[in-house]
């Protein structure tokens, strides 16, 4: 359980991909939903990753690491017929990652279950993305979970555009499910083109808010900070000085802090 925040411990779910990032120097456990759940757990929530791993050595290592971090592995399914997900990661001179994401892996086949239905009904917040919806099975599980949550819960979509694993239909489905959108300065031009919105950055974000009746859009700009836009307000943070060594997972920690 998390640290009590007043009288309540919030139940916060990271829903989607769970994988090993395979760096040249070795592997690190990742996937945006797991990163998000872990950071929310650190900030006092009961962080619950929901995903699937293979019944293989890499899968057993995943479960071991999750449990060692005092995060629940209850909602991570083990699939005998699918391998645990991996991603080949390389970093450029600015510490910015490039990914090659393996297909047909366990998190493409996250199964529905009665336990997930119960979790959805009591969850205070969820974060899901477009990447885990590249397969029909996980897409259906994600849609059912988010649709089953309470109306006042926080439903965060981190679009997380990767390789060719997104379509206009997946984007529109995701934005129809969420009430908070998080996207980066690299992702906005793609999203704006797909949704046929134009104007300044803030005008584009406001058009997306209006189109999908969102509570908030969080627009991140790497070292240049972030812009938060709601139907009534906006807040522009210029960022903090520093040198990026490795930005893998930086957006996930931002989303977790914003959620909490």
């Amino acid at each position: 359980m998390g640290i009590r925040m007043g009288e309540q411990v919030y139940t916060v779910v990271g829903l989607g991909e769970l994988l090993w990032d395979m760096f040249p120097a070795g592997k690190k456990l990742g996937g945006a939903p797991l990163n998000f759940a872990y950071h929310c757990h650190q900030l006092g929530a009961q962080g619950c990753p929901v995903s699937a791993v293979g019944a293989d050595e890499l899968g057993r290592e995943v479960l071991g690491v999750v449990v060692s971090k005092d995060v629940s592995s209850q909602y991570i399914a083990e699939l005998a017929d699918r391998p645990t997900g991996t991603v080949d990661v390389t970093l450029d001179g600015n510490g910015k990652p490039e990914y090659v994401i393996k297909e047909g892996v366990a998190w493409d086949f996250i199964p529905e279950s009665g336990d997930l239905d119960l979790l959805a009904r009591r969850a205070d917040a969820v974060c899901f993305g477009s990447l885990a919806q590249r397969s029909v099975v996980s897409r259906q599980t994600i849609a059912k979970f988010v649709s089953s949550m309470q109306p006042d819960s926080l439903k965060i979509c981190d679009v997380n555009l990767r390789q060719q694993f997104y379509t206009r239909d997946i984007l529109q489905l995701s934005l129809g499910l969420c009430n908070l959108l998080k996207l980066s300065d690299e992702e906005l031009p793609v999203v704006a083109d797909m949704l046929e919105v134009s104007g300044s950055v803030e005008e584009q974000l406001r058009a997306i808010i209006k189109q999908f009746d969102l509570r908030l859009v969080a627009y991140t700009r790497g070292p240049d900070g972030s812009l938060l836009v709601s139907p009534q307000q906006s807040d522009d943070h210029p960022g903090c000085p520093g040198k990026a060594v490795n930005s893998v997972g930086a957006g996930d920690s931002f989303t977790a802090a914003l959620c909490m």
Side-chain angles (χ1 to χ4, degrees), residues 184-194 204 219:
S184 71
D185 51 356
E186 292 183 343
E187 292 163 337
L188 179 59
V190 179
V191 171
D193 183 60
M194 286 185 169
Q204 291 176 49
Y219 173 75

Side-chain angles (χ1 to χ4, degrees), residues 1-217:
M1 297 294 285
I3 301 166
R4 288 198 173 277
M5 303 183 72
E7 293 301 314
Q8 184 173 6
V9 175
Y10 294 106
T11 300
V12 179
V13 175
L15 174 56
E17 65 272 15
L18 196 167
L19 46 86
W20 287 104
D21 286 320
M22 312 299 278
F23 292 91
K27 66 181 188 294
K28 291 188 180 295
L29 188 56
L34 176 62
N35 294 339
F36 169 82
Y38 173 65
H39 288 305
C40 286
H41 182 79
Q42 288 185 306
L43 294 171
Q46 181 184 16
C48 299
V50 174
S51 190
V53 296
D56 51 24
E57 184 61 33
L58 287 177
R60 287 187 287 274
E61 284 190 68
V62 168
L63 298 176
V65 172
V66 169
V67 171
S68 75
K69 300 293 185 182
D70 195 33
V71 175
S72 173
S73 63
Q74 178 180 351
Y75 304 101
I76 301 174
E78 288 186 84
L79 306 183
D81 59 342
R82 297 288 173 180
T84 299
T86 57
V87 178
D88 293 331
V89 186
T90 55
L91 301 175
D92 67 16
N94 295 316
K96 191 172 180 179
E98 294 184 2
Y99 305 94
V100 178
I101 305 168
K102 303 300 173 64
E103 298 184 61
V105 295
W107 59 261
D108 285 315
F109 299 90
I110 302 170
E112 295 180 15
S113 70
D115 281 351
L116 281 192
D117 290 340
L118 293 173
L119 178 62
R121 288 198 286 271
R122 69 179 178 86
D124 297 294
V126 68
C127 184
F128 66 98
S130 52
L131 178 56
Q133 297 181 72
R134 67 182 183 177
S135 75
V136 173
V137 174
S138 290
R139 191 184 315 153
Q140 290 175 340
T141 299
I142 289 169
K144 182 179 179 184
F145 186 99
V146 179
S147 299
S148 299
M149 294 174 68
Q150 299 298 323
D152 61 344
S153 58
L154 194 56
K155 303 166 186 176
I156 305 167
C157 175
D158 179 353
V159 292
N160 204 17
L161 304 181
R162 293 286 183 263
Q163 292 174 218
Q164 76 279 15
F165 302 128
Y166 58 90
T167 64
R168 179 174 177 168
D169 287 346
I170 289 174
L171 181 63
Q172 290 185 314
L173 171 67
S174 300
L175 292 177
L177 288 170
C178 76
N179 51 29
L180 191 158
L181 172 65
K182 182 257 179 186
L183 77 172
S184 71
D185 51 356
E186 292 183 343
E187 292 163 337
L188 179 59
V190 179
V191 171
D193 183 60
M194 286 185 169
L195 299 179
E196 299 178 348
V197 299
S198 59
S200 68
V201 166
E202 187 164 337
E203 287 170 341
Q204 291 176 49
L205 299 181
R206 290 200 178 280
I208 294 170
I209 287 173
K210 184 175 181 180
Q211 189 172 337
F212 294 96
D213 192 26
L214 303 178
R215 289 165 55 179
L216 184 74
V217 174

